[in-house]
Amino acid sequence: MARSPALLLILTLGLCCPGVRGQRHKMTARFRDRSITHPQVGQRLELECLTIKEDSGAFWIRQDKGGNLHFIVFISSLSRSTFDGNEKKSTRFEARKDGSSYRLIVKSFMREDEGNYFCVVNSNQVLYFSSGQPAFFPVLTTAAPTAPAPTTQHGITEKDPCPMTPDPETSKKKEMNFFCEIFIWVPLAAACLLLLLALAVTIALCQNLRTGSPTRNPSRQADTYEHLHLLDHLLGAVTA
């Protein structure tokens, strides 16, 4: 929205410096519907400026969140409106004089319409400023959920009366893993045991061969054949 530097300078002095306001003439800018605290998106919002002194017209000014002043409309004492850009009509606002009050209507309140609304009355070539009427959307705050702490009594923490049941899918997976481990480790342990026995037989056979020729001693020959036969069975079991 365009802004007139000279007009906004005067308005800034009036808003910032209490001595320029003309404190003897009290004015009020407010929502026409006194039950409204925060406007809603797209709402038709009506504001009124109440004055108790003869005047020659009133300005409506909006101060945005950044502190910038925006001229909206001038309403003459004959209820003639002049909007920004010297336009007689506005697509966003309506304005008129109704008795001793000057009304401003925001046709569809949007985010760019937020701010503090002031009315400025010209009486005997003196500008009188009203108090500001804040018009902002409500601030939505979401509180983070908090888990209640367990209550204790006499140093004993209350237990959950409804303990969680184990997941059947998890239990089934654990059971399958257990059986798989059995099928893997049991044959592996048996193979290790057979290898140990084969090693023991081999050691015994080597000792017999070192002590003398098995052909000269029939008993040793029989033991040697028995050890070889046992070793053959053990190796066959391991490689099977």
Side-chain angles (χ1 to χ4, degrees), residues 2 5 8 87 92 99 108 111 113 116 132 134 149 179 186 194 196 204 209:
L8 295 184
E87 298 291 337
R92 296 172 55 193
S108 179
R111 182 70 63 182
D113 297 318
N116 288 303
F179 284 117
V186 169
L194 291 176
L196 289 175
L209 293 175

Side-chain angles (χ1 to χ4, degrees), residues 11-240:
L11 296 177
T12 302
L13 290 174
L15 292 173
C16 297
C17 307
V20 185
R21 293 188 182 185
Q23 298 294 328
R24 293 175 298 175
H25 182 38
K26 183 175 182 179
M27 297 168 48
T28 304
R30 66 186 186 187
F31 295 134
R32 189 163 183 265
D33 184 355
R34 303 303 301 276
S35 64
I36 296 176
T37 56
H38 296 283
Q40 302 297 322
V41 177
Q43 177 182 0
R44 180 181 174 88
L45 184 66
E46 296 189 26
L47 300 98
E48 60 181 1
C49 176
L50 303 178
T51 179
I52 57 175
K53 192 173 184 178
E54 292 184 2
D55 53 71
S56 58
F59 299 89
W60 274 103
I61 310 295
R62 179 178 65 88
Q63 185 179 30
D64 61 23
K65 293 180 179 180
N68 300 313
L69 298 175
H70 302 264
F71 168 74
I72 300 176
V73 65
F74 170 74
I75 310 171
S76 70
S77 58
L78 300 177
S79 192
R80 295 176 181 174
S81 302
T82 303
F83 293 93
D84 181 44
N86 202 27
E87 298 291 337
K88 300 300 180 182
K89 293 184 179 181
S90 172
T91 58
R92 296 172 55 193
F93 303 100
E94 294 178 5
R96 65 176 179 270
K97 183 179 181 181
D98 187 4
S100 61
S101 67
Y102 292 90
R103 293 187 182 178
L104 173 67
I105 301 172
V106 185
K107 296 180 180 180
S108 179
F109 196 87
M110 303 302 291
R111 182 70 63 182
E112 58 268 22
D113 297 318
E114 288 186 301
N116 288 303
Y117 285 78
F118 300 88
C119 62
V120 184
V121 171
N122 181 14
S123 178
N124 295 326
Q125 298 182 352
V126 178
L127 295 178
Y128 296 90
F129 294 79
S130 72
S131 56
Q133 170 60 60
F136 297 94
F137 290 129
V139 179
L140 300 178
T141 57
T142 56
T146 56
T151 58
T152 58
Q153 184 176 6
H154 301 294
I156 301 176
T157 304
E158 290 186 0
K159 295 183 179 180
D160 189 358
C162 300
M164 297 181 62
T165 57
D167 187 4
E169 292 293 333
T170 304
S171 301
K172 187 175 180 180
K173 289 181 179 179
K174 290 182 178 180
E175 185 177 355
M176 292 178 64
N177 290 336
F178 176 72
F179 284 117
C180 289
E181 291 177 357
I182 291 178
F183 289 141
I184 293 173
W185 288 105
V186 169
L188 185 59
C192 291
L193 181 60
L194 291 176
L195 287 174
L196 289 175
L197 292 176
L199 180 60
V201 172
T202 303
I203 294 173
L205 180 60
C206 291
Q207 289 178 351
N208 289 334
L209 293 175
R210 285 179 182 178
T211 55
S213 176
T215 56
R216 297 178 181 178
N217 193 336
S219 61
R220 290 181 180 177
Q221 184 179 9
D223 292 338
T224 301
Y225 288 148
E226 184 178 354
H227 289 161
L228 290 174
H229 184 68
L230 178 58
L231 179 60
D232 183 58
H233 279 284
L234 291 174
L235 293 176
V238 171
T239 57

